[in-house]
Amino acid sequence: GGIITQTPKFLIGQEGQKLTLKCQQNFNHDTMYWYRQDSGKGLRLIYYSITENDLQKGDLSEGYDASREKKSSFSLTVTSAQKNEMAVFLCASSRLGASAETLYFGSGTRLTVL
Amino acid sequence: SQLAEENSWALSVHEGESVTVNCSYKTSITALQWYRQKSGKGPAQLILIRSNEREKRNGRLRATLDTSSQSSSLSITATRCEDTAVYFCATLTGNTGKLIFGLGTTLQVQP
């Protein structure tokens, strides 16, 4: 088994601030993902990384940067936090190369922008 | 773009009853997955059903897939209070690794 660890669990920022969310996995998975979850809107893919040093944009990448520092870690940066923004950011990982992927999720970082 | 969506926002049942959550999608897929998300946690996979499969079971859970109507269902029998959660279907196309999630159905199981 393995675990996805997201830090911090709660993040409060100011409008315009640059904020970084971190994710670590010990599954030894190749692929990692960042999803944003808004109430009533399901999960939307922000960025994913198929292998170390790879970055792929998802459907919601504008306003975000990502970095795959090493195989086990994947960071997401909110480049300029928007006032009244509230969402949960979920990190996930999966094996590479399977014909159908199972994603393993962390418990999320809850962002509030004042 | 591909869209997976559950067909009900919320369902409520009493313990011991059975319930079915439905999902529809709009493009061809290689697989469909059902996830459950409990409060304060990330989603956890329940069942993965491939495009060449019609039914998959996991304990009290049964998923079906109808590629001709582009729909899937997840049935839970003998529901328990701990089944209370949001249920998502998610679809995968090709080998991109991009999983597209539906909006989720909130299931409340009452004692």
Side-chain angles (χ1 to χ4, degrees):
Chain A
I3 190 168
I4 306 271
T5 302
Q6 291 188 238
T7 54
K9 288 190 184 302
F10 298 94
L11 182 57
I12 300 175
Q14 301 291 328
E15 185 180 18
Q17 194 175 0
K18 186 174 176 180
L19 302 167
T20 298
L21 292 69
K22 294 189 179 294
C23 177
Q24 296 267 351
Q25 54 99 357
N26 63 359
F27 286 99
N28 199 34
H29 283 163
D30 287 293
T31 307
M32 296 185 74
Y33 310 78
W34 277 105
Y35 282 88
R36 173 178 168 134
Q37 184 173 29
D38 294 90
S39 179
K41 291 189 178 180
L43 281 71
R44 291 182 287 173
L45 183 63
I46 306 173
Y47 268 98
Y48 65 108
S49 168
I50 297 173
T51 61
E52 190 177 346
N53 295 320
D54 174 75
L55 276 179
Q56 306 283 339
K57 291 184 177 181
D59 301 319
L60 200 66
S61 60
E62 188 173 337
Y64 302 95
D65 286 326
S67 173
R68 183 81 182 270
E69 301 89 358
K70 51 186 178 180
K71 187 175 182 179
S72 62
S73 65
F74 193 29
S75 298
L76 180 73
T77 297
V78 181
T79 55
S80 179
Q82 300 299 303
K83 190 173 177 63
N84 298 321
E85 182 174 4
M86 285 182 65
V88 176
F89 292 83
L90 292 163
C91 176
S93 71
S94 67
R95 290 184 303 129
L96 173 67
S99 60
E101 299 280 354
T102 296
L103 267 62
Y104 296 87
F105 283 87
S107 293
T109 292
R110 185 174 296 275
L111 171 67
T112 302
V113 181
L114 303 176
Chain B
S1 63
Q2 185 179 40
L3 174 67
E5 54 186 22
E6 297 80 9
N7 296 350
S8 299
W9 284 106
L11 296 168
S12 180
V13 297
H14 289 95
E15 260 194 318
E17 294 178 340
S18 297
V19 66
T20 297
V21 180
N22 295 302
C23 165
S24 57
Y25 57 91
K26 294 190 176 181
T27 62
S28 62
I29 61 172
T30 56
L32 185 143
Q33 303 183 33
W34 283 96
Y35 284 80
R36 175 172 64 191
Q37 185 177 26
K38 296 193 175 185
S39 181
K41 302 290 186 185
Q45 191 198 68
L46 298 173
I47 291 180
L48 184 156
I49 183 166
R50 300 176 193 274
S51 57
N52 62 352
E53 297 175 312
R54 291 296 166 258
E55 180 181 299
K56 202 83 169 280
R57 290 178 185 267
N58 179 10
R60 295 181 294 112
L61 308 176
R62 172 178 171 262
T64 64
L65 181 64
D66 184 341
T67 52
S68 62
S69 63
Q70 296 187 316
S71 64
S72 174
S73 69
L74 176 72
S75 297
I76 309 173
T77 57
T79 53
R80 304 168 182 166
C81 288
E82 54 261 39
D83 293 327
T84 293
V86 180
Y87 290 79
F88 293 96
C89 64
T91 53
L92 185 76
T93 301
N95 282 325
T96 65
K98 288 176 65 173
L99 204 57
I100 307 298
F101 283 79
L103 300 178
T105 294
T106 299
L107 172 65
Q108 178 77 40
V109 180
Q110 302 179 55

